[in-house]
Amino acid sequence: MQKREKIYEGKAKIIYTTDDADLLIQYFKDDASAFDGKKKGSIREKGILNNGISSRIFLYLEEQGIKTHFIKKLSDREMLVRNLKIIPVEVVVRNVIAGSLSKRMGIAEGAPLKDTILEFYYKSDELGDPMLNEDHIRVFELATKEEVEILKDQAQKINDLLLAFLSERGIRLIDFKLEFGTNKDGIFLGDEITPDGCRLWDKETNEKMDKDRFRRDLGKIEESYQEVSRRICES
Ligand code: TMP
Ligand code: ASP
């Protein structure tokens, strides 16, 4: 499958059309950004590692009955995916207090949650991805009520599956972000599942193995992505 026209370039990925209107190629870059693009950098071979990690996770989710946009890994940095109309609502799933939830509630990172928390954010770089509730989503017609129910159900199922998959590989899933999209066959999980959009802590030491190492200048960034890749792709 050949790349045709570049139709989108984001912070970490480029999207190309193919000869088939139903399929796109997702190319993973090494660029990293945080804090609405105010912090920029590059993580060596991140694109290769993230393509491998995301491919492995999408394959697992597909095997477990989750509809994803993933068709196959094409090369080191390229993945063939379904062409989706992205729903402009990011779904964040939280199992442990961290990041913006820790700030908002004034509770230290690492404190357990008695139940999973789902949050919605408006996918808008200009606005800095503001938080939404279900009324905002419905009234501003970002998604229908039925679609929101599917997003919530799928996010919970994906969380249960990933918690088990990662735990078996010595990784605690603290929180993560999902994006969904639609085509004529329904709603599919899109985008990527990588250490860029998940908080992953070592099960034994609680050491951070994700993009927080870049956001917070914690060092050992490449090593952490490599270790996540080793645990996920080699087993
Ligand atoms: P937060 O604590 O900053 O709200 O992030 C929660 C999780 O969602 C974390 O794993 C990082 C991920 N995330 C993204 O991937 N992109 C985003 O734009 C945001 C806000 C969060
Ligand atoms: N949306 C965030 C940003 O680039 C993503 C992140 O912090 O991971 O500012």
Side-chain angles (χ1 to χ4, degrees):
M1 189 66 68
Q2 287 296 311
K3 295 201 285 275
R4 293 297 172 203
E5 194 190 337
K6 186 203 272 196
I7 50 168
Y8 170 81
E9 178 155 7
K11 288 173 275 194
K13 292 190 294 292
I14 306 175
I15 307 293
Y16 297 91
T17 57
T18 67
D19 292 332
D20 184 336
D22 292 333
L23 300 176
L24 298 173
I25 289 174
Q26 181 159 266
Y27 176 97
F28 288 77
K29 304 194 286 184
D30 289 346
D31 297 350
S33 78
F35 313 120
D36 295 322
K38 286 186 211 57
K39 184 181 175 108
K40 283 198 176 73
S42 170
I43 300 173
R44 192 166 37 87
E45 305 216 317
K46 173 168 82 77
I48 298 173
L49 297 167
N50 277 359
N51 188 31
I53 293 167
S54 208
S55 295
R56 178 72 183 92
I57 290 180
F58 280 141
L59 200 60
Y60 163 71
L61 292 175
E62 284 279 344
E63 283 165 7
Q64 302 296 319
I66 302 292
K67 283 162 67 175
T68 82
H69 70 160
F70 180 74
I71 307 277
K72 65 175 174 180
K73 190 176 167 208
L74 291 176
S75 68
D76 266 7
R77 289 176 182 273
E78 290 166 345
M79 180 191 279
L80 187 64
V81 297
R82 293 185 169 82
N83 187 359
L84 302 180
K85 184 170 182 290
I86 294 293
I87 298 172
V89 175
E90 300 186 352
V91 183
V92 168
V93 183
R94 300 183 184 273
N95 296 304
V96 175
I97 295 183
S100 66
L101 181 62
S102 159
K103 285 209 186 74
R104 184 174 311 111
M105 299 305 292
I107 303 174
E109 277 203 327
L113 288 167
K114 71 171 190 183
D115 202 357
T116 305
I117 291 179
L118 289 189
E119 296 171 350
F120 301 110
Y121 293 87
Y122 185 23
K123 188 172 159 59
S124 164
D125 283 342
E126 307 86 79
L127 300 176
D129 296 349
M131 199 192 240
L132 302 169
N133 68 23
E134 289 185 40
D135 280 346
H136 296 124
I137 296 174
R138 185 174 47 81
V139 173
F140 292 103
E141 297 181 347
L142 305 178
T144 65
K145 226 175 162 159
E146 292 71 33
E147 284 173 337
V148 170
E149 288 310 311
I150 295 174
L151 298 193
K152 283 161 54 178
D153 176 68
Q154 290 296 292
Q156 292 283 3
K157 287 197 174 113
I158 292 165
N159 187 43
D160 291 343
L161 290 167
L162 289 182
L163 278 170
F165 179 87
L166 293 168
S167 177
E168 281 168 20
R169 289 158 180 81
I171 297 172
R172 289 179 73 196
L173 178 61
I174 304 302
D175 57 35
F176 60 102
K177 187 254 308 179
L178 298 172
E179 293 184 23
F180 294 86
T182 57
N183 69 10
K184 62 180 180 354
D185 300 318
I187 296 189
F188 292 77
L189 175 64
D191 195 45
E192 63 177 66
I193 298 186
T194 68
D196 277 8
C198 303
R199 286 197 172 89
L200 307 170
W201 295 1
D202 181 85
K203 210 163 136 181
E204 302 299 323
T205 65
N206 279 327
E207 199 174 20
K208 297 184 198 313
M209 306 173 72
D210 54 62
K211 205 167 92 177
D212 272 345
R213 303 205 72 86
F214 168 78
R215 293 189 190 97
R216 304 177 190 186
D217 295 319
L218 299 177
K220 290 200 295 180
I221 304 172
E222 280 91 0
E223 290 85 339
S224 298
Y225 277 69
Q226 277 159 10
E227 180 59 18
V228 171
S229 164
R230 196 187 60 74
R231 291 190 197 182
I232 289 178
C233 301
E234 291 176 20
S235 63

